[in-house]
Amino acid sequence: MEYATLNNGVRIPFLGFGVFQVENPAECEQCVSEAIATGYRLIDTAAVYLNEEAVGRAVKKSGVPRKDFFITTKVWIKDMGYEQTKSAFERSLARLNMDYLDIYLIHMPFGDVFGAWKAMEELYHEGRIRAIGVCNFHIPHLADLIVHHEIVPVINQVETHLFHQQKAMKDYADRTGIKIEAWSPFAEGQHDFFRNEVLTALAGKYNKTVAQVELRWLTQRGIIVIPKSVHKNRIEENFNSLDFRLSDEDMELLAACDTGKPVVGDFDDPDFVYDLCTRKYDF
Ligand SMILES: NC(=O)c1ccc[n+]([C@@H]2O[C@H](COP(=O)([O-])OP(=O)(O)OC[C@H]3O[C@@H](n4cnc5c(N)ncnc54)[C@H](OP(=O)(O)O)[C@@H]3O)[C@@H](O)[C@H]2O)c1
């Protein structure tokens, strides 16, 4: 496994396993167990994914020491704010059946972000979280957070893939010591992702699959990836993506495929944001 070093010195695997949209508890426990058996140690869940319990069970049953894992979960919009985030953190930890978190992320840049961050800074100083970060922040959100707080987020987890490469965000993150973590590294398969011509040609050239070329390209850019699959063969395929390197020329070919636009979640669309902020959840 290759590791990135976060701005607080903590090391994180470049490749992890995401469990968004795996709400069936048995299916989630099964695929996380398969991921752990394959070698994944970074698991990415969230309170709003409704599967923290299943993740916790798979981790516990694996017999792998807790210290070898890198467990990430996230605080949802309804729990933003100082008191709410402290309470949401305790509930997530209880569902995971763990006594500390490796990373806690603000899931969306909405609601009382500053109150939530203050709570997370305290939990970090108390040793209950090894690192704190954010998701879906635009550059001005990050700049605002950094100027007004003591701790710079270790990670900004954002939609990043062939079609939406986040070049400006990556430059800003590099300057400020933040790592980019790519969510939906396969664009959830949209826009015929797995039959993309450039990826397919490179897959042939390197004797790899489209998924493996995409994950190698992202990690070679210094971006952490958390692909999701509920299929054992794909879980293994995705894991085996770090044993080759793309040439500079091929990295450039892929860089030229950027459309600069999101495919999965458009945070500039007020209807999308309104929907996110008003969904009702009971967790
Ligand atoms: N912070 C955020 O706001 C946010 C938002 C979205 C996602 N995330 C995180 O990022 C993780 C990954 O993103 P994602 O789940 O949205 O999408 P993704 O990883 O881009 O794509 C998952 C899709 O690709 C398929 N797939 C996976 N590996 C494949 C392979 N080797 N060959 C062909 N198809 C393959 C999966 O199908 P099968 O499962 O059927 O194999 C699934 O349909 C999430 O699970 C979550 O942890 C975070």
Side-chain angles (χ1 to χ4, degrees):
M1 179 52 64
E2 294 174 16
Y3 291 84
T5 302
L6 301 174
N7 64 25
N8 65 347
V10 167
R11 275 159 44 94
I12 177 174
F14 258 112
L15 175 67
F17 185 68
V19 293
F20 180 39
Q21 292 168 324
V22 196
E23 284 177 24
N24 177 291
E27 185 180 41
C28 184
E29 189 177 328
Q30 169 78 17
C31 70
V32 175
S33 297
E34 280 164 353
I36 296 169
T38 302
Y40 292 82
R41 292 296 177 264
L42 162 57
I43 314 288
D44 184 87
T45 181
V48 77
Y49 298 171
L50 307 176
N51 56 21
E52 291 171 309
E53 280 114 331
V55 168
R57 277 197 301 278
V59 165
K60 192 130 286 186
K61 284 184 189 170
S62 72
V64 176
R66 170 69 184 88
K67 66 172 178 48
D68 292 354
F69 284 100
F70 208 95
I71 304 297
T72 302
T73 194
K74 315 183 188 91
V75 53
W76 187 246
I77 302 165
K78 77 176 181 66
D79 291 317
M80 297 301 284
Y82 180 81
E83 294 296 344
Q84 297 91 321
T85 296
K86 286 233 166 153
S87 155
F89 168 78
E90 299 299 344
R91 297 199 303 279
S92 277
L93 217 51
R95 286 190 292 262
L96 284 161
N97 193 16
M98 293 175 186
D99 51 16
Y100 70 94
L101 273 183
D102 295 281
I103 289 209
Y104 201 33
L105 300 175
I106 290 183
H107 205 149
M108 295 286 163
F110 310 126
D112 181 5
V113 169
F114 279 24
W117 195 249
K118 190 91 204 109
M120 289 163 68
E121 285 185 329
E122 283 183 14
L123 291 163
Y124 172 76
H125 284 308
E126 288 162 12
R128 306 200 60 207
I129 312 173
R130 294 178 65 217
I132 57 176
V134 298
C135 308
N136 302 310
F137 274 41
H138 287 188
I139 291 171
H141 296 133
L142 286 173
D144 189 23
L145 191 73
I146 292 170
V147 165
H148 291 102
H149 295 86
E150 177 209 340
I151 299 183
V152 174
V154 292
I155 274 176
N156 186 20
Q157 187 183 107
V158 282
E159 178 180 346
T160 314
H161 45 70
L162 188 68
F163 310 128
H164 188 35
Q165 302 191 4
Q166 300 278 9
K167 288 174 186 166
M169 175 60 77
K170 174 76 168 59
D171 287 347
Y172 178 76
D174 285 348
R175 282 199 283 122
T176 47
I178 298 169
K179 289 278 178 228
I180 298 297
E181 186 168 44
W183 64 253
S184 294
F186 306 140
E188 286 187 346
Q190 295 186 51
H191 289 207
D192 225 0
F193 178 87
F194 290 103
R195 287 195 295 185
N196 176 272
E197 276 179 21
V198 180
L199 286 171
T200 304
L202 291 178
K205 176 175 171 181
Y206 289 90
N207 201 19
K208 289 284 174 182
T209 66
V210 161
Q212 289 168 332
V213 171
E214 167 78 6
L215 296 174
R216 177 71 282 189
W217 168 68
L218 286 168
T219 50
Q220 226 170 288
R221 286 179 66 203
I223 293 174
I224 299 159
V225 292
I226 44 169
K228 167 262 177 187
S229 177
V230 294
H231 295 100
K232 189 171 188 290
N233 58 329
R234 292 175 175 175
I235 292 170
E236 290 172 354
E237 173 187 333
N238 297 342
F239 190 74
N240 294 321
S241 58
L242 302 184
D243 57 356
F244 72 113
R245 285 191 78 77
L246 295 160
S247 70
D248 292 347
E249 196 180 48
D250 292 334
M251 293 291 286
E252 287 302 319
L253 275 180
L254 292 164
C257 298
D258 194 12
T259 68
K261 293 198 183 77
V263 169
V264 181
D266 184 355
F267 286 84
D268 289 325
D269 173 357
D271 292 338
F272 176 74
V273 172
Y274 184 85
D275 177 57
L276 282 176
C277 290
T278 53
R279 275 184 215 161
K280 295 279 177 258
Y281 289 102
D282 181 25
F283 56 80

